[in-house]
Amino acid sequence: MARLKFGAFLAPHHPIGEHPMLQFRRDLDLVEQLDALGYDEFWCGEHHSSGWEMIASPEMFLAAAGERTKRIKLGTGVVSLPYHHPFNVAQRMVQLDHMTGGRAIFGSGPGALASDAHTLGIDPMTQRDRQDEAIGIIRRLFNGERVTAKSDWFTMNDAALQILPLQEEMPFVVASQISPSGMTLAGKYGIGIISLGSMTTQGLMSLQQQWQFAEDAARKHGTKVNRADWRVLLTFHIAETREQARREAGAGLMRWHNEYNVGTLQRPGLTAFSSPDEAVDKTAFVEGAASTIGTPDDLVKTIKNVMQVSGGVGAIIGFVHDWANPENTRRSWDMVARYVVPEINGYIDGLRKSQKFVIENRAIFERAGQAVMAKIMENEKAAEALKVTGPGRVAIPAVNAPDLQKEAAKR
């Protein structure tokens, strides 16, 4: 079984009130930490309104992150294609790929916030069609074609990239919510997917149907989609105990839900939480909960459930939030890397098997102890030393060591 990749998705969602300069720096610190911990991917988005999401250029942020990191892949999550001329997007992504040493992932979407589209004077009814059109153009540019195209929202005359991506094939990924549009687009072009709707119970339970949309579109257009290129977004906060995780995340979760989801976006059907305990209970401790607030074991259970419900994905991407303070947030990501990732990917299975074998086959190793004792007894001075030799005084691995106290007693 192929190992599951792990990453982080920074929208960002930061409460209003902190100095933006310091917030940008702390976000970059997080990327650096994730790289050191061995995470596979880091994503950040593009937003122009709402107050809580202040990264306007994911390419600029990821270029800075590239200078602080060594191996982690850096994805735009996402570039809202209807907001930009496709040629400019292609050039920026190529530059990012070269500046990061071939670590760029091109993630795109139609644009998530209606307020962004309103600001730019874009009709929301056109956004998905424009994303589709732009992806087709950008793929041609990445392939080295010279493109002439005229649309109702852009014109290109003999356009060709001066520099092609550093990677032989830069990964293309589209964002998907619960509607079939993102998955259908992925199937049409045979590209990757990052499922953002999985942060809700409804989205989590619809994953298998979502994948069917992608496969149906792939068959229609003669392409292929691969589950290894499917990323699923999850929310979690991890601590040593459930009680500790609850204490650390409750107030911040309540604020995020009440001020952002309910107060700012005014999402239909949502009501404000009345207490941090209610926020935790209704987010992480209801049937079919898509979020995990608890221990590494709790998150392992959630991920295994995702794999079962979805039929298999290629990567679990954690949603970056400020439910807990910065120190506890960093420790949560650290614990996921130390305990969840190796458990899911079987990195410690061999160690457990080795320990179990030694425990269950102790009799086999008695001969090693007998061999050591035989050598001791061949030397008169060494044999005499048994009278005063105690445990811990001889540098012999315990599994091979004879019981020196017992032998000394015999003499």
Side-chain angles (χ1 to χ4, degrees), residues 50-121:
S50 89
W52 279 60
E53 302 167 273
M54 77 285 190
I55 291 180
S57 171
E59 305 97 326
M60 186 180 295
F61 182 91
L62 295 175
E67 292 299 298
R68 290 199 184 199
T69 56
K70 298 177 181 178
R71 52 166 299 281
I72 195 169
K73 297 282 188 177
L74 301 167
T76 55
V78 294
V79 174
S80 299
L81 291 181
Y83 303 170
H84 309 276
H85 194 294
F87 187 76
N88 288 335
V89 174
Q91 287 200 113
R92 293 199 302 267
M93 288 306 305
V94 168
Q95 181 172 333
L96 179 64
D97 199 38
H98 280 267
M99 291 182 68
T100 59
R103 290 187 281 145
I105 303 174
F106 177 40
S108 72
L113 296 179
S115 51
D116 286 354
H118 173 76
T119 297
L120 296 169

Side-chain angles (χ1 to χ4, degrees), residues 98-324:
H98 280 267
M99 291 182 68
T100 59
R103 290 187 281 145
I105 303 174
F106 177 40
S108 72
L113 296 179
S115 51
D116 286 354
H118 173 76
T119 297
L120 296 169
I122 297 172
D123 181 357
M125 299 301 292
T126 68
Q127 288 178 252
R128 282 158 182 78
D129 289 341
R130 289 185 177 187
Q131 181 194 5
D132 186 347
E133 187 177 14
I135 288 176
I137 292 291
I138 293 169
R139 283 168 66 87
R140 292 176 62 192
L141 291 169
F142 280 5
N143 287 333
E145 295 183 36
R146 187 171 292 278
V147 179
T148 295
K150 187 173 181 61
S151 174
D152 61 345
W153 61 292
F154 70 85
T155 299
M156 297 172 64
N157 296 318
D158 299 319
L161 296 175
Q162 297 184 104
I163 306 172
L164 296 180
L166 183 59
Q167 299 175 81
E168 187 173 355
E169 187 171 349
M170 186 190 300
F172 269 64
V173 177
V174 292
S176 173
Q177 295 280 355
I178 297 179
S179 73
S181 59
M183 303 299 280
T184 301
L185 197 59
K188 176 179 178 178
Y189 290 104
I191 57 182
I193 305 144
I194 182 165
S195 290
L196 309 181
S198 52
M199 292 195 298
T200 67
T201 299
Q202 181 186 3
L204 187 64
M205 298 309 297
S206 70
L207 286 176
Q208 187 62 264
Q209 179 61 60
Q210 292 285 307
W211 185 251
Q212 190 63 52
F213 291 141
E215 289 191 324
D216 289 347
R219 279 192 293 270
K220 178 180 177 180
H221 294 277
T223 64
K224 291 183 179 180
V225 284
N226 191 336
R227 286 181 179 271
D229 299 323
W230 186 13
R231 298 156 175 89
V232 169
L233 201 64
L234 293 179
T235 48
F236 50 77
H237 179 74
I238 304 303
E240 284 79 0
T241 65
R242 285 184 181 180
E243 292 73 20
Q244 182 177 343
R246 173 186 288 271
R247 288 194 304 270
E248 292 175 355
L253 168 59
M254 178 178 171
R255 182 179 182 186
W256 172 71
H257 177 83
N258 290 0
E259 293 187 15
Y260 179 73
N261 293 318
V262 178
T264 303
L265 300 186
Q266 302 178 42
R267 287 178 171 159
L270 294 184
T271 57
F273 294 135
S274 60
S275 69
D277 280 338
E278 182 190 12
V280 173
D281 289 337
K282 290 188 175 180
T283 301
F285 293 101
V286 293
E287 185 176 354
S291 299
T292 302
I293 298 174
T295 67
D297 289 342
D298 291 325
L299 184 55
V300 167
K301 183 179 178 180
T302 297
I303 292 172
K304 288 182 176 179
N305 180 58
V306 169
M307 298 299 284
Q308 182 178 1
V309 168
S310 66
V313 303
I316 295 295
I317 308 298
F319 184 78
V320 180
H321 50 70
D322 288 341
W323 294 355

